[in-house]
Amino acid sequence: MATETLPFKEAPKDTVGEINKYDFVTQTTGVFKARKGLNEEVVRQISAMKKEPEWMLEFRLRSLAIFESKPMPEWGGDIGIDFDDVYYYLKPTEGQGKTWEDVPQEIKDTFDKLGIPEAERKFLAGVKAQFESEVVYGSLHEDLAKKGVIFTDTDTAVREHPELLREYFGKIIPPEDNKFAALNSAVWSGGSFIYVPPGVKIEFPLQAYFRINAESMGQFERTLIIVDEGAEIHYVEGCTAPMYSTESLHSAVVEIIVKKNGRCRYTTIQNWANNIYNLVTKRAMAYQDALMEWIDGNLGSRLTMKYPAVYMMEPGARGEILSIAFSSKGQHQDAGAKLVHCAPNTSGRIISKSISKNGGRSSYRGLCKVEDGAINTKSNVVCDALILDPESRSDTYPYIEVEEQQVQIEHEASVSRIGEEQLFYLMSRGLTEAEASSMIVSGFIEPLIKELPMEYAVEMNRLIELQMEGSVG
Amino acid sequence: MTETLVIKDLHVSVEGKPILNGVNLTINRGETHALMGPNGSGKSTLGNAIMGHPSYEVTGGTIEINGEDVLDMDASERARAGIFMAFQRPMAIPGVKLADFLRHAATNVRNPDRKEGEDLIPMREFRKELKEKMGQLKMDTEFARRYVNDGFSGGEMKRAEILQLAMLRPKFAILDETDSGLDVDAVKLASQSIAAIAQETEGGTEMGILIITHHDKLLEQNTPDFTHVMLGGRLVETGGEELARELYTNGYDRIRADHPVEARVEAEMQDEEPAAV
């Protein structure tokens, strides 16, 4: 195994360094913007633009009907979206009139303080498209391909890997699942498709950052990851830099299958601009003795509703979810996790942490479900909330549904105001109030930080410091 | 000129309840003061008030260092002005490594004008010093990687407080029952360490120390130049080393008998069970 993985070991470091050397080229053709609002014509147009096979068009149309028939969720956050006022499909070079000057200063400052290179800033702010750049990760791609790994955007996958797509696409999260999954299914575009063949272990994190497609951070991206028997992967999506979009709605679907003895870790830190409704459905199915781990960080956005789930389908499956939310003024993070035990001897763990400041609101909403017959299952949920000032709010909504006798479910929740005593202690050692608060918050999210790849951990720490600036006094 | 911490007619309330009722105390650098008194007499309140705890409201009197008023300073500014308090029950800060915290703290205290975001003490220099100090305190260097006071035993917390004292080298140190929770050998080591640290401060001048204690062991190596007895929120007697000896041998019966007014205040405070200390 060691020799097999050797060529990969140095790859991530090199590519991280290398990517900054290559300027991203702006795509100049194929500009297309659907008109505002959603109907069958728009969906047909999207499908035609992408030259999709008939079955995908049918899937989209069926999803559209489901979307139209489903009511808005009556729980969670206050979703103030006018569906008629949204562009559902924008070709990568969306709005040619959009310029760097239009990007809010606040977003620019964050890029600046995080030290994000110029070209990447423009890409992340959506004013510059990044697309196929074989120079950057061609060799990486080649090495993966040699082992049978497929790592591409989902649009391409529909055309090039129809057998895999037809088998798995929309099977973990069907359009019937919820209104926003239906919406995504109707108008989806972009996202990652990954297939890891049996026994292939990719030891470095695969990062969407280097992805081939311009629509990686689109409004309605769709990700499908299939980890075959005994295979391993760590996928890192998004990054800590702010994602700026003039559109108000982001609604992604992420489906993951982890087969027998497989392992999958999916890490994402999303930091949206404050005008975004971020309504994402993420679900994984873990089969016999497989392990699925979600590491999910949520910053920014006006409202985020996101509950990564692990369905443990066969004996011995494990699910672990680490979720962190940071909400500030005008923001509501309704985040959490779901563990569903469908088979005996499965185990799951949720660690959820939230921080609320300057009147922000964080909610933990989580589900632990044990199906009939899933004996000897174990679930452990720990959620901690940290509230930095009296204007902020935190709620916990744990749902526990158990249909079996021999199970062990633990739920611990704690809410703490940033302790006056803790602040005083640190300040009595010469730290300013801001430094002390920042240190307490950094410590609070340390369990997430230590799970992140190095470069993300450093960036995340800087980001938290930025979030904390001016939060007190 | 000797640097001095001067407390004049200090009145302090917690949640509206008066705890200190006019305390006068002058500590010069180089002097060791012992502060004794029954539980609930206000000793920790004095420490917290000097350090600037926001829940301890100063309703009268002054606290000055070298003539400079510290009452308008927050705890951070007081630390940078040279005041330190070793806490009786220090707070846990989960997720924050002791070494990282100490490097930040030492940098700020040594460079009182440092702005947020400016460089910390160089890592190599800091590590060398930390290792040396931990060696003197017979602490395993691994200890510095643990989270501040998180899951520390009573003894570990106290040693961590003394380590901070050693790293921050304040002008004035308040030690609030630093001996409690320690076994005999540990108290001896703590006592020796404090005595050594007190000699090592900046500019060759020794620290001024206020030791709040019920026990004699801590005072063996740190012989008090003055012993003060607190009762009912006031310092009712001041003596030398012999007064400390009398109190830990005989208790406070004589003190209560000699100071009936303060004894009555003390009894009332006990009944009300103040939220303080």
Side-chain angles (χ1 to χ4, degrees):
Chain A
M1 197 193 82
T3 50
E4 190 182 83
T5 53
L6 207 61
F8 292 98
K9 283 218 163 136
E10 295 303 319
K13 211 192 301 168
D14 290 351
T15 45
V16 168
E18 293 280 323
I19 196 161
N20 303 337
K21 292 186 199 164
Y22 302 96
D23 205 348
F24 306 108
V25 183
T26 311
Q27 196 170 338
T28 51
T29 54
V31 182
F32 173 81
K33 195 169 188 175
R35 63 177 181 78
K36 275 185 182 175
L38 185 56
N39 57 27
E40 191 180 320
E41 190 200 332
V42 171
V43 171
R44 284 183 182 277
Q45 228 174 349
I46 293 170
S47 191
M49 284 296 301
K50 295 177 177 295
K51 301 185 175 64
E52 284 177 348
E54 192 61 22
W55 69 268
M56 183 54 80
L57 174 62
E58 280 166 23
F59 175 81
R60 287 182 185 273
L61 291 172
R62 180 165 70 91
S63 302
L64 177 65
I66 295 164
F67 168 70
E68 284 169 347
S69 69
K70 273 196 185 287
M72 289 289 274
E74 287 182 358
W75 45 273
D78 182 14
I79 307 171
I81 298 171
D82 177 358
F83 287 110
D84 292 329
D85 194 35
V86 171
Y87 287 107
Y88 289 91
Y89 180 61
L90 303 122
K91 201 64 173 138
T93 46
E94 56 179 8
Q96 294 239 302
K98 197 171 163 187
T99 66
W100 181 243
E101 280 65 47
D102 296 333
V103 176
Q105 193 58 42
E106 176 192 319
I107 301 271
K108 289 179 184 165
D109 287 349
T110 312
F111 282 133
D112 197 31
K113 288 175 180 169
L114 286 172
I116 309 272
E118 187 75 10
E120 281 176 65
R121 294 179 192 193
K122 296 196 168 174
F123 165 64
L124 292 163
V127 298
K128 201 171 195 183
Q130 178 189 23
F131 68 109
E132 284 183 86
S133 176
E134 289 297 327
V135 193
V136 177
Y137 42 94
S139 63
L140 169 69
H141 198 67
E142 205 174 290
D143 283 338
L144 290 172
K146 241 183 259 171
K147 302 177 145 200
V149 175
I150 302 166
F151 181 28
T152 184
D153 63 289
T154 314
D155 292 300
T156 304
V158 170
R159 294 191 299 270
E160 295 182 0
H161 306 282
E163 66 301 331
L164 285 170
L165 266 288
R166 291 196 77 156
E167 188 175 351
Y168 297 106
F169 189 96
K171 297 301 193 306
I172 308 297
I173 303 171
E176 291 83 359
D177 192 80
N178 67 74
K179 190 170 180 76
F180 291 95
L183 175 64
N184 175 285
S185 299
V187 299
W188 74 271
S189 189
S192 290
F193 174 76
I194 300 174
Y195 171 75
V196 192
V200 173
K201 295 177 179 173
I202 305 172
E203 304 236 324
F204 60 87
L206 274 190
Q207 301 180 49
Y209 216 53
F210 308 117
R211 199 170 17 197
I212 304 165
N213 194 277
E215 294 156 300
S216 55
M217 296 299 160
Q219 267 179 280
F220 302 104
E221 79 265 20
R222 181 100 195 184
T223 292
L224 175 59
I225 299 174
I226 303 155
V227 180
D228 218 323
E229 290 192 8
E232 287 183 17
I233 188 182
H234 180 186
Y235 176 69
V236 182
E237 182 226 52
C239 57
T240 51
M243 283 173 273
Y244 166 67
S245 164
T246 47
E247 311 310 320
S248 61
L249 176 60
H250 172 251
S251 187
V253 164
V254 179
E255 297 178 284
I256 298 178
I257 298 105
V258 194
K259 295 193 179 176
K260 185 179 174 184
N261 290 319
R263 293 172 79 108
C264 178
R265 172 180 278 204
Y266 184 109
T267 297
T268 182
I269 306 292
Q270 296 197 325
N271 180 18
W272 291 99
N274 293 348
N275 62 331
I276 300 288
Y277 288 91
N278 182 34
L279 311 165
V280 175
T281 310
K282 290 184 165 181
R283 188 176 303 161
M285 288 195 178
Y287 292 87
Q288 191 177 329
D289 299 316
L291 171 63
M292 176 66 210
E293 297 170 280
W294 294 103
I295 295 168
D296 192 68
N298 295 294
L299 300 100
S301 84
R302 174 174 303 179
L303 169 68
T304 287
M305 287 170 68
K306 195 206 274 180
Y307 324 95
V310 183
Y311 282 60
M312 289 156 277
M313 306 302 291
E314 291 179 349
R318 284 186 292 149
E320 301 208 351
I321 303 158
L322 182 55
S323 151
I324 303 242
F326 196 125
S327 66
S328 189
K329 192 176 182 185
Q331 298 176 345
H332 182 185
Q333 304 282 3
D334 196 89
K338 296 180 189 176
L339 290 171
V340 182
H341 298 266
C342 307
N345 303 312
T346 52
S347 61
R349 186 171 61 125
I350 296 170
I351 297 174
S352 162
K353 287 176 173 269
S354 72
I355 301 157
S356 318
K357 67 152 192 157
N358 287 0
R361 178 178 174 192
S362 304
S363 316
Y364 166 79
R365 191 179 301 276
L367 173 70
C368 258
K369 185 169 183 178
V370 181
E371 302 267 4
D372 188 14
I375 55 165
N376 297 324
T377 59
K378 278 184 199 163
S379 252
N380 176 247
V381 181
V382 179
C383 55
D384 298 326
L386 187 64
I387 302 178
L388 301 189
D389 51 60
E391 289 74 42
S392 301
R393 170 174 170 183
S394 171
D395 314 279
T396 303
Y397 306 98
Y399 300 86
I400 298 173
E401 297 172 19
V402 181
E403 294 168 13
E404 189 50 72
Q405 298 292 326
Q406 295 175 53
V407 298
Q408 189 182 326
I409 305 279
E410 295 166 16
H411 179 96
E412 298 168 40
S414 75
V415 179
S416 40
R417 287 279 301 283
I418 198 158
E420 192 182 54
E421 296 297 327
Q422 283 182 325
L423 274 181
F424 173 61
Y425 184 67
L426 295 181
M427 288 175 71
S428 78
R429 300 318 188 219
L431 273 63
T432 63
E433 188 170 357
E435 288 170 331
S437 302
S438 186
M439 193 169 268
I440 292 166
V441 169
S442 299
F444 183 74
I445 60 162
E446 153 77 13
L448 173 97
I449 300 290
K450 70 180 181 199
E451 296 299 328
L452 292 179
M454 185 63 177
E455 70 268 27
Y456 287 92
V458 170
E459 211 169 278
M460 181 76 182
N461 269 326
R462 269 188 292 175
L463 188 67
I464 292 297
E465 280 168 27
L466 289 179
Q467 296 273 344
M468 291 301 297
E469 260 179 22
S471 68
V472 286
Chain B
M1 193 192 86
T2 312
E3 292 181 278
T4 309
L5 176 68
V6 180
I7 296 157
K8 280 187 191 153
D9 195 28
L10 189 70
H11 289 69
V12 175
S13 291
V14 179
E15 291 173 358
K17 285 178 200 147
I19 308 288
L20 298 186
N21 305 307
V23 172
N24 293 287
L25 180 63
T26 297
I27 301 173
N28 293 306
R29 281 186 77 174
E31 292 174 355
T32 298
H33 294 243
L35 177 60
M36 302 181 74
N39 285 330
S41 57
K43 304 188 295 296
S44 290
T45 298
L46 179 62
N48 278 301
I50 296 171
M51 198 69 244
H53 192 299
S55 303
Y56 293 73
E57 190 198 351
V58 174
T59 53
T62 57
I63 303 174
E64 291 176 353
I65 286 188
N66 302 333
E68 196 186 352
D69 182 3
V70 307
L71 287 179
D72 286 338
M73 299 180 185
D74 69 17
S76 172
E77 291 161 334
R78 294 185 200 198
R80 296 179 200 205
I83 305 177
F84 178 92
M85 177 151 109
F87 289 80
Q88 196 178 346
R89 281 184 289 273
M91 294 305 295
I93 318 288
V96 176
K97 292 192 183 84
L98 182 61
D100 294 339
F101 161 55
L102 263 176
R103 184 164 165 231
H104 217 114
T107 303
N108 280 6
V109 169
R110 290 177 200 178
N111 312 303
D113 298 327
R114 174 180 176 270
K115 302 271 184 309
E116 275 166 43
E118 285 177 8
D119 288 348
L120 300 172
I121 301 168
M123 185 57 99
R124 183 188 286 258
E125 189 184 306
F126 172 77
R127 279 215 186 117
K128 184 167 170 271
E129 188 183 343
L130 183 65
K131 205 176 158 189
E132 185 188 308
K133 295 282 194 287
M134 292 183 87
Q136 288 162 5
L137 291 165
K138 297 191 167 59
M139 293 170 85
D140 190 333
T141 45
E142 194 60 32
F143 194 78
R145 296 203 189 113
R146 289 176 64 185
Y147 297 150
V148 178
N149 295 318
D150 193 26
F152 284 20
S153 70
E156 286 171 337
M157 280 188 195
K158 295 303 164 70
R159 275 207 273 176
E161 292 293 289
I162 296 170
L163 176 65
Q164 292 177 50
L165 176 72
M167 292 298 291
L168 299 185
R169 306 195 294 250
K171 294 173 182 168
F172 297 95
I174 303 153
L175 308 175
D176 191 0
E177 306 211 12
T178 298
D179 47 1
S180 72
L182 297 180
D183 62 32
V184 179
D185 289 340
V187 174
K188 194 172 173 190
L189 177 66
S191 177
Q192 287 166 349
S193 305
I194 292 162
I197 293 163
Q199 314 282 334
E200 279 180 3
T201 51
E202 304 278 287
T205 317
E206 292 175 36
M207 277 180 205
I209 307 184
L210 180 66
I211 300 178
I212 301 172
T213 183
H214 291 294
H215 305 287
D216 54 344
K217 286 278 177 266
L218 199 60
L219 300 179
E220 273 179 9
Q221 302 286 329
N222 300 277
T223 317
D225 301 299
F226 302 93
T227 300
H228 310 276
V229 188
M230 187 169 272
L231 189 69
R234 298 178 98 153
L235 297 185
V236 292
E237 280 188 25
T238 292
E241 190 191 345
E242 75 297 334
L243 178 57
R245 200 165 288 137
E246 179 207 325
L247 296 174
Y248 52 66
T249 311
N250 301 330
Y252 295 96
D253 288 349
R254 177 190 68 74
I255 299 286
R256 286 195 179 95
D258 288 355
H259 305 276
V261 177
E262 285 80 6
R264 198 167 64 239
V265 172
E266 190 216 359
E268 284 165 9
M269 281 165 61
Q270 298 293 343
D271 289 346
E272 288 179 17
E273 292 203 4
V277 292

